[in-house]
Amino acid sequence: QVQLVESGGGLVAAGGSLRLSCAASGSTGSITFMGWYRQAPGKQRELVATIAVTGGFSTVYAGSVKGRFTISRDNAKNTVYLQMNSLKPEDTAVYYCNAWTVSRDFWGQGTQVTVSS
């Protein structure tokens, strides 16, 4: 089992920044990828960014956030971060941390990010 706890969401003005954190606990040795997804009201959940836990820690970003968001990981703390800069109102959503293992995916409960005009 893997447990994920997100933090760092909140209300920010357009053009501002937020840093989200996701701390993993439990069977963290089984995690291969970690990442962030988001879901706006009435919309499908979409990929924001992922990072490999093994190898060279390769990353993947959604086109809508590339150049503005940065995903990183601190393996010693089993924590993944999402630095969000130049935020836009369309970034408003619930942001979910996820972790991939060989058996299943795990999800956090989500943290609300609201960007005002």
Side-chain angles (χ1 to χ4, degrees):
Q1 290 288 318
V2 174
Q3 296 81 44
L4 303 173
V5 179
E6 301 125 325
S7 62
L11 175 65
V12 65
S17 298
L18 284 174
R19 188 196 192 203
L20 306 183
S21 299
C22 175
S25 61
S27 301
T28 57
S30 64
I31 298 173
T32 56
F33 288 82
M34 294 186 69
W36 292 93
Y37 287 70
R38 67 186 182 186
Q39 187 169 21
K43 304 292 185 180
Q44 295 291 319
R45 189 173 298 186
E46 64 175 352
L47 169 73
V48 177
T50 62
I51 185 168
V53 173
T54 60
F57 295 174
S58 61
T59 57
V60 175
Y61 294 92
S64 59
V65 307
K66 200 168 188 177
R68 299 188 297 121
F69 292 9
T70 302
I71 189 170
S72 62
R73 190 174 190 275
D74 184 337
N75 280 358
K77 296 181 178 180
N78 291 311
T79 300
V80 67
Y81 305 94
L82 185 68
Q83 179 66 47
M84 305 185 294
N85 298 326
S86 302
L87 283 162
K88 305 174 181 179
E90 50 263 44
D91 295 318
T92 295
V94 177
Y95 283 70
Y96 296 91
C97 179
N98 83 295
W100 299 0
T101 70
V102 67
S103 59
R104 59 161 289 186
D105 295 345
F106 295 88
W107 295 88
Q109 292 186 344
T111 184
Q112 177 71 46
V113 172
T114 302
V115 184
S116 62
S117 301

